[in-house]
Amino acid sequence: MKVLVAVAVGLGLLVTQDLPHAFPREGATSIVDNARVSMWDVTWFKGKPSPMHRHRYDLVGVYLVGSAIKVTGLDGNASESRVDPGFVLFQPKGVTHIEEGMDEKNPRHAILVDLKETTVAPIANTSGHPTAFPREGAKRVLENDRVVIWDYRWTLGKPTPMHFHDKDVVVIYLEDGALRSTDPKGASVINPHYFGFTKWNARDRVHTEELTQGKGRAIITELK
Protein backbone atom coordinates (compact mmCIF):
# COMPACT_ATOMS: atom_id res chain seq x y z
CA MET A 1 0.00 0.00 0.00
CA LYS A 2 2.81 2.44 0.92
CA VAL A 3 4.49 1.72 -2.41
CA LEU A 4 1.26 2.42 -4.31
CA VAL A 5 0.76 5.70 -2.46
CA ALA A 6 4.35 6.74 -3.19
CA VAL A 7 3.89 5.93 -6.90
CA ALA A 8 0.64 7.90 -7.02
CA VAL A 9 2.24 10.92 -5.36
CA GLY A 10 5.20 10.71 -7.72
CA LEU A 11 2.92 10.58 -10.77
CA GLY A 12 0.94 13.54 -9.46
CA LEU A 13 4.11 15.60 -9.05
CA LEU A 14 5.24 14.61 -12.55
CA VAL A 15 1.89 15.66 -14.03
CA THR A 16 1.92 19.10 -12.37
CA GLN A 17 5.58 19.71 -13.25
CA ASP A 18 4.83 19.01 -16.93
CA LEU A 19 1.90 21.44 -17.04
CA PRO A 20 2.44 24.82 -18.73
CA HIS A 21 2.70 28.04 -16.77
CA ALA A 22 -0.44 30.19 -16.65
CA PHE A 23 0.94 32.64 -19.24
CA PRO A 24 1.14 33.38 -22.08
CA ARG A 25 -2.31 32.30 -23.22
CA GLU A 26 -5.35 33.55 -25.14
CA GLY A 27 -6.90 36.53 -23.39
CA ALA A 28 -3.63 37.55 -21.67
CA THR A 29 -1.57 40.47 -22.97
CA SER A 30 1.95 41.13 -21.71
CA ILE A 31 2.43 44.61 -20.22
CA VAL A 32 5.93 44.47 -18.72
CA ASP A 33 8.49 41.67 -18.43
CA ASN A 34 11.70 42.33 -16.53
CA ALA A 35 13.97 40.61 -14.01
CA ARG A 36 11.50 41.04 -11.14
CA VAL A 37 8.00 40.72 -12.60
CA SER A 38 5.87 39.71 -15.54
CA MET A 39 2.71 41.83 -15.73
CA TRP A 40 -0.34 40.61 -17.64
CA ASP A 41 -3.65 42.19 -18.67
CA VAL A 42 -6.03 39.21 -18.49
CA THR A 43 -9.63 38.70 -19.61
CA TRP A 44 -11.59 35.48 -18.99
CA PHE A 45 -13.93 34.82 -21.93
CA LYS A 46 -17.03 32.64 -21.75
CA GLY A 47 -16.68 29.38 -23.68
CA LYS A 48 -12.88 29.67 -23.84
CA PRO A 49 -11.40 27.76 -20.91
CA SER A 50 -7.69 28.10 -20.29
CA PRO A 51 -5.48 25.03 -20.57
CA MET A 52 -4.87 23.18 -17.31
CA HIS A 53 -1.88 25.11 -15.94
CA ARG A 54 0.34 25.47 -12.89
CA HIS A 55 1.26 28.90 -11.55
CA ARG A 56 5.05 28.79 -11.24
CA TYR A 57 5.35 32.10 -9.43
CA ASP A 58 3.73 33.88 -6.53
CA LEU A 59 1.14 36.21 -8.00
CA VAL A 60 -0.55 39.52 -7.20
CA GLY A 61 -3.90 40.22 -8.85
CA VAL A 62 -5.98 43.40 -9.01
CA TYR A 63 -9.45 42.87 -10.46
CA LEU A 64 -11.00 45.54 -12.68
CA VAL A 65 -14.16 43.50 -13.41
CA GLY A 66 -15.09 40.78 -10.94
CA SER A 67 -17.78 38.83 -12.79
CA ALA A 68 -18.03 35.07 -12.39
CA ILE A 69 -15.46 32.54 -13.56
CA LYS A 70 -15.42 28.77 -13.21
CA VAL A 71 -12.30 27.20 -11.72
CA THR A 72 -11.62 23.47 -12.19
CA GLY A 73 -8.91 21.65 -10.23
CA LEU A 74 -6.80 18.65 -11.16
CA ASP A 75 -9.38 16.38 -9.48
CA GLY A 76 -12.11 17.65 -11.82
CA ASN A 77 -14.02 19.48 -9.09
CA ALA A 78 -15.27 22.89 -10.23
CA SER A 79 -16.34 25.98 -8.32
CA GLU A 80 -17.59 29.43 -9.29
CA SER A 81 -15.88 32.60 -8.14
CA ARG A 82 -16.94 36.27 -8.04
CA VAL A 83 -15.04 39.26 -6.65
CA ASP A 84 -15.66 42.99 -6.32
CA PRO A 85 -13.90 45.48 -8.62
CA GLY A 86 -10.69 46.58 -6.94
CA PHE A 87 -10.28 43.25 -5.14
CA VAL A 88 -6.62 42.44 -4.41
CA LEU A 89 -5.30 38.86 -4.43
CA PHE A 90 -2.02 37.29 -3.36
CA GLN A 91 -1.74 33.72 -4.64
CA PRO A 92 1.27 31.52 -3.75
CA LYS A 93 3.00 29.59 -6.50
CA GLY A 94 1.92 26.02 -7.24
CA VAL A 95 -1.82 26.60 -7.75
CA THR A 96 -3.01 24.31 -10.57
CA HIS A 97 -6.34 24.65 -12.37
CA ILE A 98 -8.42 25.55 -15.44
CA GLU A 99 -10.20 28.93 -15.54
CA GLU A 100 -13.16 29.95 -17.71
CA GLY A 101 -15.26 33.11 -17.83
CA MET A 102 -18.98 32.80 -17.16
CA ASP A 103 -20.20 36.26 -18.20
CA GLU A 104 -20.39 36.90 -21.94
CA LYS A 105 -21.35 40.60 -21.77
CA ASN A 106 -19.05 41.68 -18.94
CA PRO A 107 -16.14 39.22 -18.72
CA ARG A 108 -13.80 39.20 -15.74
CA HIS A 109 -10.80 41.43 -16.26
CA ALA A 110 -7.70 41.82 -14.09
CA ILE A 111 -4.07 42.83 -13.97
CA LEU A 112 -2.01 39.82 -12.81
CA VAL A 113 1.61 40.18 -11.75
CA ASP A 114 3.96 37.19 -11.59
CA LEU A 115 6.60 37.78 -8.91
CA LYS A 116 9.86 36.28 -10.12
CA GLU A 117 12.44 34.81 -7.77
CA THR A 118 14.96 37.62 -8.34
CA THR A 119 15.81 39.44 -5.12
CA VAL A 120 17.55 42.77 -4.58
CA ALA A 121 19.46 44.08 -1.59
CA PRO A 122 17.76 46.87 0.39
CA ILE A 123 18.94 50.40 -0.31
CA ALA A 124 19.52 53.04 2.33
CA ASN A 125 17.44 56.21 2.34
CA THR A 126 19.99 59.01 2.30
CA SER A 127 17.66 61.48 0.57
CA GLY A 128 16.64 63.37 3.67
CA HIS A 129 12.99 62.70 2.81
CA PRO A 130 10.58 60.08 4.21
CA THR A 131 9.96 56.85 2.34
CA ALA A 132 6.93 56.75 0.04
CA PHE A 133 4.83 54.65 2.41
CA PRO A 134 3.13 54.71 4.79
CA ARG A 135 1.61 58.16 4.24
CA GLU A 136 -1.69 60.00 4.53
CA GLY A 137 -4.32 58.59 2.19
CA ALA A 138 -2.71 55.15 1.96
CA LYS A 139 -4.44 52.04 3.29
CA ARG A 140 -2.28 48.94 3.74
CA VAL A 141 -4.22 46.13 2.03
CA LEU A 142 -1.77 43.23 2.39
CA GLU A 143 1.76 42.51 3.54
CA ASN A 144 3.89 39.36 3.51
CA ASP A 145 7.51 38.43 2.85
CA ARG A 146 7.20 39.30 -0.88
CA VAL A 147 5.16 42.50 -1.06
CA VAL A 148 3.44 45.38 0.67
CA ILE A 149 0.24 46.46 -1.13
CA TRP A 150 -1.36 49.89 -0.66
CA ASP A 151 -4.73 51.29 -1.73
CA TYR A 152 -3.90 54.97 -2.24
CA ARG A 153 -5.98 58.05 -3.10
CA TRP A 154 -4.58 61.39 -4.23
CA THR A 155 -6.50 64.59 -3.43
CA LEU A 156 -7.02 67.10 -6.25
CA GLY A 157 -4.66 70.05 -5.87
CA LYS A 158 -2.90 68.66 -2.77
CA PRO A 159 0.75 67.70 -3.37
CA THR A 160 2.14 64.71 -1.48
CA PRO A 161 5.20 65.24 0.71
CA MET A 162 8.48 64.91 -1.17
CA HIS A 163 9.35 61.22 -0.67
CA PHE A 164 11.87 58.50 -1.48
CA HIS A 165 10.90 55.21 -3.14
CA ASP A 166 13.10 52.55 -1.55
CA LYS A 167 11.24 49.70 -3.31
CA ASP A 168 10.34 48.81 -6.90
CA VAL A 169 6.59 49.25 -7.41
CA VAL A 170 3.75 48.15 -9.67
CA VAL A 171 1.02 50.80 -9.94
CA ILE A 172 -2.49 49.91 -11.16
CA TYR A 173 -4.84 52.89 -11.51
CA LEU A 174 -8.55 52.56 -10.74
CA GLU A 175 -9.65 56.05 -11.84
CA ASP A 176 -9.03 58.54 -14.66
CA GLY A 177 -6.93 61.65 -14.13
CA ALA A 178 -3.46 63.18 -14.34
CA LEU A 179 -0.59 63.49 -11.87
CA ARG A 180 2.21 66.02 -11.84
CA SER A 181 5.50 64.49 -10.68
CA THR A 182 8.13 66.98 -9.46
CA ASP A 183 11.68 66.10 -8.44
CA PRO A 184 13.75 67.91 -5.76
CA LYS A 185 15.27 70.23 -8.43
CA GLY A 186 11.81 71.40 -9.50
CA ALA A 187 11.61 69.52 -12.81
CA SER A 188 8.01 68.41 -13.45
CA VAL A 189 6.19 66.09 -15.81
CA ILE A 190 2.44 65.45 -16.19
CA ASN A 191 1.47 61.77 -16.30
CA PRO A 192 -2.10 60.99 -17.42
CA HIS A 193 -3.72 57.79 -16.15
CA TYR A 194 -6.94 55.87 -16.72
CA PHE A 195 -8.88 52.99 -15.23
CA GLY A 196 -6.74 49.87 -15.58
CA PHE A 197 -3.56 51.69 -16.64
CA THR A 198 -0.59 49.80 -15.21
CA LYS A 199 3.05 50.82 -14.90
CA TRP A 200 6.35 49.68 -13.41
CA ASN A 201 8.40 52.20 -11.44
CA ALA A 202 11.94 51.37 -10.36
CA ARG A 203 13.12 52.22 -6.87
CA ASP A 204 15.69 54.88 -5.86
CA ARG A 205 13.50 57.85 -6.86
CA VAL A 206 12.61 61.08 -5.04
CA HIS A 207 9.62 63.20 -6.03
CA THR A 208 6.32 64.71 -5.00
CA GLU A 209 3.02 64.05 -6.81
CA GLU A 210 -0.03 66.25 -7.27
CA LEU A 211 -3.37 65.31 -8.81
CA THR A 212 -4.01 68.05 -11.37
CA GLN A 213 -7.03 66.63 -13.17
CA GLY A 214 -9.82 64.10 -12.59
CA LYS A 215 -9.51 61.51 -9.84
CA GLY A 216 -6.60 59.50 -8.50
CA ARG A 217 -6.82 56.07 -6.92
CA ALA A 218 -4.35 53.22 -7.39
CA ILE A 219 -3.34 49.88 -6.00
CA ILE A 220 0.40 50.15 -5.42
CA THR A 221 2.46 47.00 -4.87
CA GLU A 222 5.88 47.48 -3.31
CA LEU A 223 8.26 44.58 -3.95
CA LYS A 224 10.47 43.46 -1.08
Side-chain angles (χ1 to χ4, degrees), residues 164-177:
F164 174 71
H165 284 275
D166 63 331
K167 297 178 179 67
D168 296 328
V169 299
V170 175
V171 185
I172 301 169
Y173 291 91
L174 299 181
E175 292 177 325
D176 303 346

mmCIF file with all atom_site columns, all heavy atoms in Angstrom, residues 164-177:
data_model
loop_
_atom_site.group_PDB
_atom_site.id
_atom_site.type_symbol
_atom_site.label_atom_id
_atom_site.label_alt_id
_atom_site.label_comp_id
_atom_site.label_asym_id
_atom_site.label_entity_id
_atom_site.label_seq_id
_atom_site.pdbx_PDB_ins_code
_atom_site.Cartn_x
_atom_site.Cartn_y
_atom_site.Cartn_z
_atom_site.occupancy
_atom_site.B_iso_or_equiv
_atom_site.pdbx_formal_charge
_atom_site.auth_seq_id
_atom_site.auth_comp_id
_atom_site.auth_asym_id
_atom_site.auth_atom_id
_atom_site.pdbx_PDB_model_num
ATOM 1   N N   . PHE A 1 164 ? 10.874  59.376 -0.876  1.00 0.00 ? 164 PHE A N   1
ATOM 2   C CA  . PHE A 1 164 ? 11.871  58.495 -1.479  1.00 0.00 ? 164 PHE A CA  1
ATOM 3   C C   . PHE A 1 164 ? 11.288  57.101 -1.659  1.00 0.00 ? 164 PHE A C   1
ATOM 4   O O   . PHE A 1 164 ? 10.766  56.507 -0.708  1.00 0.00 ? 164 PHE A O   1
ATOM 5   C CB  . PHE A 1 164 ? 13.103  58.422 -0.572  1.00 0.00 ? 164 PHE A CB  1
ATOM 6   C CG  . PHE A 1 164 ? 14.150  57.440 -1.007  1.00 0.00 ? 164 PHE A CG  1
ATOM 7   C CD1 . PHE A 1 164 ? 14.930  57.678 -2.118  1.00 0.00 ? 164 PHE A CD1 1
ATOM 8   C CD2 . PHE A 1 164 ? 14.372  56.255 -0.286  1.00 0.00 ? 164 PHE A CD2 1
ATOM 9   C CE1 . PHE A 1 164 ? 15.919  56.772 -2.519  1.00 0.00 ? 164 PHE A CE1 1
ATOM 10  C CE2 . PHE A 1 164 ? 15.352  55.354 -0.669  1.00 0.00 ? 164 PHE A CE2 1
ATOM 11  C CZ  . PHE A 1 164 ? 16.124  55.611 -1.787  1.00 0.00 ? 164 PHE A CZ  1
ATOM 12  N N   . HIS A 1 165 ? 11.362  56.579 -2.873  1.00 0.00 ? 165 HIS A N   1
ATOM 13  C CA  . HIS A 1 165 ? 10.903  55.210 -3.141  1.00 0.00 ? 165 HIS A CA  1
ATOM 14  C C   . HIS A 1 165 ? 12.084  54.253 -2.939  1.00 0.00 ? 165 HIS A C   1
ATOM 15  O O   . HIS A 1 165 ? 13.004  54.210 -3.755  1.00 0.00 ? 165 HIS A O   1
ATOM 16  C CB  . HIS A 1 165 ? 10.363  55.091 -4.563  1.00 0.00 ? 165 HIS A CB  1
ATOM 17  C CG  . HIS A 1 165 ? 9.010   55.691 -4.748  1.00 0.00 ? 165 HIS A CG  1
ATOM 18  N ND1 . HIS A 1 165 ? 7.849   55.009 -4.484  1.00 0.00 ? 165 HIS A ND1 1
ATOM 19  C CD2 . HIS A 1 165 ? 8.636   56.939 -5.147  1.00 0.00 ? 165 HIS A CD2 1
ATOM 20  C CE1 . HIS A 1 165 ? 6.805   55.783 -4.730  1.00 0.00 ? 165 HIS A CE1 1
ATOM 21  N NE2 . HIS A 1 165 ? 7.258   56.962 -5.134  1.00 0.00 ? 165 HIS A NE2 1
ATOM 22  N N   . ASP A 1 166 ? 12.030  53.503 -1.843  1.00 0.00 ? 166 ASP A N   1
ATOM 23  C CA  . ASP A 1 166 ? 13.098  52.549 -1.550  1.00 0.00 ? 166 ASP A CA  1
ATOM 24  C C   . ASP A 1 166 ? 12.805  51.167 -2.120  1.00 0.00 ? 166 ASP A C   1
ATOM 25  O O   . ASP A 1 166 ? 13.627  50.256 -1.999  1.00 0.00 ? 166 ASP A O   1
ATOM 26  C CB  . ASP A 1 166 ? 13.330  52.445 -0.048  1.00 0.00 ? 166 ASP A CB  1
ATOM 27  C CG  . ASP A 1 166 ? 12.122  51.910 0.710   1.00 0.00 ? 166 ASP A CG  1
ATOM 28  O OD1 . ASP A 1 166 ? 10.973  52.114 0.240   1.00 0.00 ? 166 ASP A OD1 1
ATOM 29  O OD2 . ASP A 1 166 ? 12.304  51.288 1.776   1.00 0.00 ? 166 ASP A OD2 1
ATOM 30  N N   . LYS A 1 167 ? 11.637  51.004 -2.749  1.00 0.00 ? 167 LYS A N   1
ATOM 31  C CA  . LYS A 1 167 ? 11.243  49.705 -3.314  1.00 0.00 ? 167 LYS A CA  1
ATOM 32  C C   . LYS A 1 167 ? 10.749  49.890 -4.746  1.00 0.00 ? 167 LYS A C   1
ATOM 33  O O   . LYS A 1 167 ? 10.137  50.910 -5.078  1.00 0.00 ? 167 LYS A O   1
ATOM 34  C CB  . LYS A 1 167 ? 10.138  49.056 -2.480  1.00 0.00 ? 167 LYS A CB  1
ATOM 35  C CG  . LYS A 1 167 ? 10.537  48.723 -1.036  1.00 0.00 ? 167 LYS A CG  1
ATOM 36  C CD  . LYS A 1 167 ? 9.360   48.120 -0.290  1.00 0.00 ? 167 LYS A CD  1
ATOM 37  C CE  . LYS A 1 167 ? 9.739   47.752 1.136   1.00 0.00 ? 167 LYS A CE  1
ATOM 38  N NZ  . LYS A 1 167 ? 10.021  48.975 1.952   1.00 0.00 ? 167 LYS A NZ  1
ATOM 39  N N   . ASP A 1 168 ? 10.986  48.877 -5.591  1.00 0.00 ? 168 ASP A N   1
ATOM 40  C CA  . ASP A 1 168 ? 10.338  48.809 -6.897  1.00 0.00 ? 168 ASP A CA  1
ATOM 41  C C   . ASP A 1 168 ? 8.831   48.682 -6.683  1.00 0.00 ? 168 ASP A C   1
ATOM 42  O O   . ASP A 1 168 ? 8.391   48.021 -5.731  1.00 0.00 ? 168 ASP A O   1
ATOM 43  C CB  . ASP A 1 168 ? 10.828  47.597 -7.692  1.00 0.00 ? 168 ASP A CB  1
ATOM 44  C CG  . ASP A 1 168 ? 12.313  47.655 -8.026  1.00 0.00 ? 168 ASP A CG  1
ATOM 45  O OD1 . ASP A 1 168 ? 12.839  48.761 -8.222  1.00 0.00 ? 168 ASP A OD1 1
ATOM 46  O OD2 . ASP A 1 168 ? 12.939  46.576 -8.088  1.00 0.00 ? 168 ASP A OD2 1
ATOM 47  N N   . VAL A 1 169 ? 8.043   49.296 -7.577  1.00 0.00 ? 169 VAL A N   1
ATOM 48  C CA  . VAL A 1 169 ? 6.595   49.251 -7.405  1.00 0.00 ? 169 VAL A CA  1
ATOM 49  C C   . VAL A 1 169 ? 5.883   48.951 -8.720  1.00 0.00 ? 169 VAL A C   1
ATOM 50  O O   . VAL A 1 169 ? 6.361   49.292 -9.804  1.00 0.00 ? 169 VAL A O   1
ATOM 51  C CB  . VAL A 1 169 ? 6.028   50.565 -6.820  1.00 0.00 ? 169 VAL A CB  1
ATOM 52  C CG1 . VAL A 1 169 ? 6.606   50.852 -5.446  1.00 0.00 ? 169 VAL A CG1 1
ATOM 53  C CG2 . VAL A 1 169 ? 6.255   51.738 -7.747  1.00 0.00 ? 169 VAL A CG2 1
ATOM 54  N N   . VAL A 1 170 ? 4.714   48.299 -8.588  1.00 0.00 ? 170 VAL A N   1
ATOM 55  C CA  . VAL A 1 170 ? 3.746   48.151 -9.671  1.00 0.00 ? 170 VAL A CA  1
ATOM 56  C C   . VAL A 1 170 ? 2.543   48.998 -9.287  1.00 0.00 ? 170 VAL A C   1
ATOM 57  O O   . VAL A 1 170 ? 1.990   48.857 -8.197  1.00 0.00 ? 170 VAL A O   1
ATOM 58  C CB  . VAL A 1 170 ? 3.323   46.686 -9.872  1.00 0.00 ? 170 VAL A CB  1
ATOM 59  C CG1 . VAL A 1 170 ? 2.220   46.594 -10.922 1.00 0.00 ? 170 VAL A CG1 1
ATOM 60  C CG2 . VAL A 1 170 ? 4.522   45.837 -10.271 1.00 0.00 ? 170 VAL A CG2 1
ATOM 61  N N   . VAL A 1 171 ? 2.134   49.895 -10.197 1.00 0.00 ? 171 VAL A N   1
ATOM 62  C CA  . VAL A 1 171 ? 1.019   50.804 -9.936  1.00 0.00 ? 171 VAL A CA  1
ATOM 63  C C   . VAL A 1 171 ? -0.121  50.483 -10.896 1.00 0.00 ? 171 VAL A C   1
ATOM 64  O O   . VAL A 1 171 ? 0.082   50.471 -12.118 1.00 0.00 ? 171 VAL A O   1
ATOM 65  C CB  . VAL A 1 171 ? 1.436   52.279 -10.104 1.00 0.00 ? 171 VAL A CB  1
ATOM 66  C CG1 . VAL A 1 171 ? 0.292   53.213 -9.712  1.00 0.00 ? 171 VAL A CG1 1
ATOM 67  C CG2 . VAL A 1 171 ? 2.681   52.584 -9.279  1.00 0.00 ? 171 VAL A CG2 1
ATOM 68  N N   . ILE A 1 172 ? -1.308  50.214 -10.348 1.00 0.00 ? 172 ILE A N   1
ATOM 69  C CA  . ILE A 1 172 ? -2.493  49.907 -11.161 1.00 0.00 ? 172 ILE A CA  1
ATOM 70  C C   . ILE A 1 172 ? -3.557  50.936 -10.804 1.00 0.00 ? 172 ILE A C   1
ATOM 71  O O   . ILE A 1 172 ? -4.050  50.978 -9.667  1.00 0.00 ? 172 ILE A O   1
ATOM 72  C CB  . ILE A 1 172 ? -2.998  48.478 -10.891 1.00 0.00 ? 172 ILE A CB  1
ATOM 73  C CG1 . ILE A 1 172 ? -1.883  47.471 -11.221 1.00 0.00 ? 172 ILE A CG1 1
ATOM 74  C CG2 . ILE A 1 172 ? -4.260  48.188 -11.716 1.00 0.00 ? 172 ILE A CG2 1
ATOM 75  C CD1 . ILE A 1 172 ? -2.179  46.064 -10.744 1.00 0.00 ? 172 ILE A CD1 1
ATOM 76  N N   . TYR A 1 173 ? -3.907  51.790 -11.754 1.00 0.00 ? 173 TYR A N   1
ATOM 77  C CA  . TYR A 1 173 ? -4.840  52.894 -11.506 1.00 0.00 ? 173 TYR A CA  1
ATOM 78  C C   . TYR A 1 173 ? -6.280  52.421 -11.641 1.00 0.00 ? 173 TYR A C   1
ATOM 79  O O   . TYR A 1 173 ? -6.621  51.659 -12.554 1.00 0.00 ? 173 TYR A O   1
ATOM 80  C CB  . TYR A 1 173 ? -4.573  54.039 -12.478 1.00 0.00 ? 173 TYR A CB  1
ATOM 81  C CG  . TYR A 1 173 ? -3.252  54.734 -12.224 1.00 0.00 ? 173 TYR A CG  1
ATOM 82  C CD1 . TYR A 1 173 ? -2.089  54.314 -12.873 1.00 0.00 ? 173 TYR A CD1 1
ATOM 83  C CD2 . TYR A 1 173 ? -3.165  55.786 -11.334 1.00 0.00 ? 173 TYR A CD2 1
ATOM 84  C CE1 . TYR A 1 173 ? -0.866  54.943 -12.636 1.00 0.00 ? 173 TYR A CE1 1
ATOM 85  C CE2 . TYR A 1 173 ? -1.950  56.425 -11.088 1.00 0.00 ? 173 TYR A CE2 1
ATOM 86  C CZ  . TYR A 1 173 ? -0.815  55.994 -11.751 1.00 0.00 ? 173 TYR A CZ  1
ATOM 87  O OH  . TYR A 1 173 ? 0.385   56.614 -11.499 1.00 0.00 ? 173 TYR A OH  1
ATOM 88  N N   . LEU A 1 174 ? -7.132  52.927 -10.744 1.00 0.00 ? 174 LEU A N   1
ATOM 89  C CA  . LEU A 1 174 ? -8.546  52.557 -10.744 1.00 0.00 ? 174 LEU A CA  1
ATOM 90  C C   . LEU A 1 174 ? -9.458  53.740 -11.080 1.00 0.00 ? 174 LEU A C   1
ATOM 91  O O   . LEU A 1 174 ? -10.691 53.605 -11.014 1.00 0.00 ? 174 LEU A O   1
ATOM 92  C CB  . LEU A 1 174 ? -8.937  51.986 -9.370  1.00 0.00 ? 174 LEU A CB  1
ATOM 93  C CG  . LEU A 1 174 ? -8.184  50.720 -8.952  1.00 0.00 ? 174 LEU A CG  1
ATOM 94  C CD1 . LEU A 1 174 ? -8.664  50.243 -7.593  1.00 0.00 ? 174 LEU A CD1 1
ATOM 95  C CD2 . LEU A 1 174 ? -8.353  49.610 -9.980  1.00 0.00 ? 174 LEU A CD2 1
ATOM 96  N N   . GLU A 1 175 ? -8.865  54.882 -11.445 1.00 0.00 ? 175 GLU A N   1
ATOM 97  C CA  . GLU A 1 175 ? -9.647  56.052 -11.843 1.00 0.00 ? 175 GLU A CA  1
ATOM 98  C C   . GLU A 1 175 ? -8.895  56.801 -12.938 1.00 0.00 ? 175 GLU A C   1
ATOM 99  O O   . GLU A 1 175 ? -7.718  56.541 -13.188 1.00 0.00 ? 175 GLU A O   1
ATOM 100 C CB  . GLU A 1 175 ? -9.895  56.976 -10.636 1.00 0.00 ? 175 GLU A CB  1
ATOM 101 C CG  . GLU A 1 175 ? -10.815 56.359 -9.591  1.00 0.00 ? 175 GLU A CG  1
ATOM 102 C CD  . GLU A 1 175 ? -11.015 57.217 -8.357  1.00 0.00 ? 175 GLU A CD  1
ATOM 103 O OE1 . GLU A 1 175 ? -10.052 57.899 -7.946  1.00 0.00 ? 175 GLU A OE1 1
ATOM 104 O OE2 . GLU A 1 175 ? -12.124 57.209 -7.801  1.00 0.00 ? 175 GLU A OE2 1
ATOM 105 N N   . ASP A 1 176 ? -9.598  57.755 -13.573 1.00 0.00 ? 176 ASP A N   1
ATOM 106 C CA  . ASP A 1 176 ? -9.026  58.543 -14.664 1.00 0.00 ? 176 ASP A CA  1
ATOM 107 C C   . ASP A 1 176 ? -8.591  59.908 -14.147 1.00 0.00 ? 176 ASP A C   1
ATOM 108 O O   . ASP A 1 176 ? -9.337  60.574 -13.409 1.00 0.00 ? 176 ASP A O   1
ATOM 109 C CB  . ASP A 1 176 ? -10.054 58.761 -15.778 1.00 0.00 ? 176 ASP A CB  1
ATOM 110 C CG  . ASP A 1 176 ? -10.608 57.465 -16.345 1.00 0.00 ? 176 ASP A CG  1
ATOM 111 O OD1 . ASP A 1 176 ? -10.019 56.402 -16.073 1.00 0.00 ? 176 ASP A OD1 1
ATOM 112 O OD2 . ASP A 1 176 ? -11.630 57.530 -17.049 1.00 0.00 ? 176 ASP A OD2 1
ATOM 113 N N   . GLY A 1 177 ? -7.399  60.342 -14.546 1.00 0.00 ? 177 GLY A N   1
ATOM 114 C CA  . GLY A 1 177 ? -6.930  61.653 -14.131 1.00 0.00 ? 177 GLY A CA  1
ATOM 115 C C   . GLY A 1 177 ? -5.528  61.918 -14.638 1.00 0.00 ? 177 GLY A C   1
ATOM 116 O O   . GLY A 1 177 ? -5.061  61.304 -15.594 1.00 0.00 ? 177 GLY A O   1
#
